[in-house]
Amino acid sequence: QVQLVESGGGVVQPGGSLRLSCVASGFTISTYAMRWYRQGPGKERELVARIGSTGDRTYYAESVDGRFTISRDDVKNAVYLQMNSLKPEDTAVYYCREPTRDYWGQGTQVIVSS
């Protein structure tokens, strides 16, 4: 069964850090670009970051640029999102996606609050 499973979310204070993981099973991610999205309460889903199939190209939304880092490990069949200097507006459910076949994970909740 094809699955993308996110983990690593939680509650963190402003200025804190979290590292999200997305582990794929049922398919190999090595030839595919991967993306992280988020959807905050009452907000539209937005693209946060993407990484090319070889890891040589990355993109970040302006709202997270300089604070978040996307990476991949094809041996582990996983993609990661390192989130630093977190702000309350980063509160959202974070999803990973393989866009070519439109595979989505179930999401992991991130709450940034004092």
Side-chain angles (χ1 to χ4, degrees), residues 14-114:
S17 297
L18 287 172
R19 187 184 189 230
L20 306 184
S21 298
C22 174
V23 179
S25 60
F27 77 104
T28 300
I29 71 167
S30 61
T31 63
Y32 298 100
M34 299 292 292
R35 297 179 176 181
W36 283 99
Y37 292 81
R38 69 184 181 187
Q39 187 166 23
K43 299 180 180 179
E44 295 183 357
R45 184 177 59 198
E46 64 174 335
L47 176 65
V48 176
R50 64 173 183 253
I51 187 167
S53 61
T54 64
D56 59 331
R57 295 180 296 167
T58 58
Y59 163 86
Y60 301 94
E62 290 185 1
S63 58
V64 307
D65 197 11
R67 300 187 296 120
F68 290 12
T69 303
I70 188 171
S71 62
R72 65 189 298 150
D73 185 338
D74 291 345
V75 174
K76 293 184 170 66
N77 215 32
V79 62
Y80 307 97
L81 187 68
Q82 178 67 47
M83 305 186 296
N84 298 326
S85 301
L86 284 162
K87 304 174 181 179
E89 51 263 43
D90 295 319
T91 295
V93 177
Y94 285 72
Y95 302 89
C96 66
R97 180 193 178 209
E98 189 279 277
T100 301
R101 280 85 57 82
D102 199 24
Y103 295 158
W104 291 85
Q106 86 289 347
T108 186
Q109 176 74 63
V110 172
I111 299 175
V112 184
S113 176
S114 59

